[in-house]
Amino acid sequence: MAAAPPPGGQEKVIAAAQHIVKSLANSKNAADDMIRILSGFDDRLSLMPDLFPPPPPPPPSIPSPAVVAEEEDDADADDARRQEVDAEVEAAARLVEHWDSGVGDGMVFDSAEDAGNYLAAAGCLVGAEGARAEAAMQAAMARLEDEFRHLLIRGMSPLAGEDLHASLLRRLSLSVPSFASSASDLDCPSFANHTAAAGEGDDGRNSVSDEEISPYLIAPDTVGDLRDIADVMLRAGYAPELCQVYGEVRRDTLMECLAVLGVDKMSLEEVQRVEWGVLDGKMKKWIQALKVVVRGLLAEERRICGQIFAADAEAEEDCFTEAAKGCVLQLLNFGDAIAIGKRSSEKLFRILGMYEALDEVLPELEGLFSGDAREFIKEEAEGILVRLGDAVRGTVAEFANAIQGETSRRPLPGGEIHPLTRYVMNYVRLLADYSRLLNQLLEDWDTELENGGDNVNMTPLGHCVLILITHLQAKIEEKSKLYEDEALQNIFLMNNLLYIVQKVKDSELKTLLGDNWIRQRRGQIRRYSTGYLRSSWTRVLACLRDDGLPQTMGSSSALKASLKERFKNFNLTFEELYKTQTTWRVVDPQLREELKISISEKVLPAYRSFVGRFRGQLEGGRNSARYIKYNPEDLENHVSDFFEGKRPNA
């Protein structure tokens, strides 16, 4: 059906528009502008399909002879390249099949030339299409996996236990606090053995160099071969297989290194059962091994792992984590077993050493790992630090209870320093070596103690030390009552308190307790000295007083009889003291001389005066020398023998 003709009014408009379009055909821009103008004021133009006829189709393109020739050359080149690649894949497959058939003798990497050819062939097969190429690539990956394992094992120097241990510890000067200086004057054998062992060869902190640690990792030339294998296998998508091999071999190697360093795998029950002498050695080796492993073995393992798996950061992380986690967990597990184990005072300094070592290397240990592994190691190690801190606080409390609960009832001959005093003061003095750490760990420790103003403005460790020494003083006061002789009680108290004061004065304990504490204890020692003089020499001096003697105006015979009795009593009393107190021992030479001088200053002037006044009453009489047995110089010589600890009848 034919379209209806436009209404009469539109014919003129259409005719005019067609004329305008035709006249503007030669100017494209002008035509476009005009069309927009016209269409803007009347949408009827949009209803006129015949107004804008479609453009004519372009003429067919006819390539030039040169273009045709170039395209033909490209096609020929592509064909040639495909043929070349096919030939290379074919040759690579033949090489792999040759080794896979068993014709190849030994390992590929026994020969640098064979290794280079095989790696090139394996690399050529990666991504190649075709059943034969895929089968050859799988065979190549299996062989490279074996070669990788073999190189890992072969690249390690043999682990000769004593050689590794001695060499490593000789080159690494590790920091374990030295207690040897305190062991010499300890009377408690277990503590003395502990401290003496702790001082062996622990004298500094140094880092680990490549030269020091490299004999126990992988030889540099082997690292290059391993990296070449890893590059090919990673490109082929065999990262899981590669990481499994690396993790197995290196994990076993690092665990073997741990065993050589003296860190054995032990369960909590085994740790609890082992005797202290053995456990002490294991704790010491753990402290050393932790630093060796983190700063030496694992740091170097991380570096080498980064070299081998440089092509794939994710594979590097996975391989290192798989290799290192067993070694790290074994170290942490032992630390945890110690932390939650039975508490006893002899363990304290080893536990402090373990805490200090773990706290010191933890940032370095965390830095070796990343991602989930890092978070896991961090959480485990921080948990062990918390439990080790609890063990420290609990052990200090146990030590305080042990002081108070000491029950020995045998008095020491001669009033010497009690073993408990030596034990406690050497123990407390060692605490000062860990001032920074213990001030942190003992911050919330129970420090309530009624002791005047001594504990004002003290550090947490100062409070702790004050409590322990106060417990010791109370126990020494209690033990002094085991002596029946009051004078010997005072000698015993002087010996022990002076030992305490000297240990404080000559160590960091002085900083913790302060000069005022020392002055107060020296005043106490002087009071003990006064008590000794009063209890020992009052009876002697009473013999040299005029009180009770008959007046000279009375009977001369009565006076002589009284004087004879006085001299007789003096001689007996002095000789009794001499016999007894020459067996007593005042340990400190200065205190010993001061006591002798005090005796001489009290006795000799009184004796000299008494003899001077009454010698004439007895001289000339029968047996006068029997009563005036000593001149003042004799007495002074006898006093010089006091407190030397002579054996009876010696």
Side-chain angles (χ1 to χ4, degrees), residues 426-564:
N426 283 286
Y427 196 96
V428 169
R429 193 176 69 171
L430 293 176
L431 292 177
D433 292 339
Y434 292 91
S435 293
R436 180 192 62 81
L437 180 56
L438 284 171
N439 279 326
Q440 170 191 333
L441 294 177
L442 298 176
E443 188 170 2
D444 299 323
W445 197 62
D446 182 14
T447 57
E448 294 182 4
L449 183 69
E450 294 183 5
N451 197 39
D454 279 359
N455 57 350
V456 177
N457 297 323
M458 278 189 176
T459 63
L461 178 58
H463 283 291
C464 172
V465 167
L466 182 59
I467 289 173
L468 296 175
I469 293 180
T470 301
H471 289 337
L472 173 61
Q473 285 185 254
K475 183 59 64 173
I476 292 303
E477 288 276 358
E478 177 186 316
K479 291 186 178 300
S480 70
K481 303 300 190 292
L482 297 174
Y483 298 99
E484 295 181 359
D485 191 326
E486 183 183 350
L488 187 52
Q489 291 179 10
N490 284 286
I491 293 294
F492 174 76
L493 289 169
M494 276 190 286
N495 274 330
N496 283 272
L497 186 54
L498 181 58
Y499 182 85
I500 292 171
V501 169
Q502 288 174 334
K503 285 294 182 181
V504 171
K505 182 176 67 71
D506 298 336
S507 70
E508 287 300 312
L509 295 175
K510 179 180 179 180
T511 304
L512 296 175
L513 296 178
D515 292 332
N516 186 53
W517 184 93
I518 294 175
R519 282 194 296 272
Q520 290 177 356
R521 272 65 196 175
R522 287 199 180 279
Q524 199 169 356
I525 292 171
R526 287 193 293 272
R527 288 193 292 275
Y528 291 146
S529 175
T530 301
Y532 158 76
L533 292 171
R534 183 182 63 251
S535 58
S536 277
W537 296 96
T538 298
R539 287 186 303 135
V540 174
L541 293 174
C543 298
L544 304 177
R545 292 194 181 99
D546 295 350
D547 299 347
L549 288 176
Q551 295 298 319
T552 55
M553 288 191 251
S555 172
S556 176
S557 61
L559 176 60
K560 288 183 179 181
S562 294
L563 288 173
K564 289 179 180 179

Side-chain angles (χ1 to χ4, degrees), residues 226-277:
L226 292 168
R227 180 178 60 247
D228 292 340
I229 294 175
D231 288 347
V232 174
M233 293 187 70
L234 291 171
R235 190 154 53 90
Y238 279 73
E241 293 81 358
L242 193 64
C243 289
Q244 181 178 356
V245 172
Y246 185 91
E248 288 176 358
V249 175
R250 297 305 301 160
R251 180 177 62 246
D252 291 346
T253 300
L254 291 174
M255 296 294 280
E256 188 176 350
C257 286
L258 263 191
V260 169
L261 292 170
V263 180
D264 302 318
K265 188 173 183 179
M266 297 179 70
S267 66
L268 175 60
E269 293 74 18
E270 290 172 324
V271 171
Q272 300 288 2
R273 287 197 304 266
V274 69
E275 64 179 21
W276 165 241

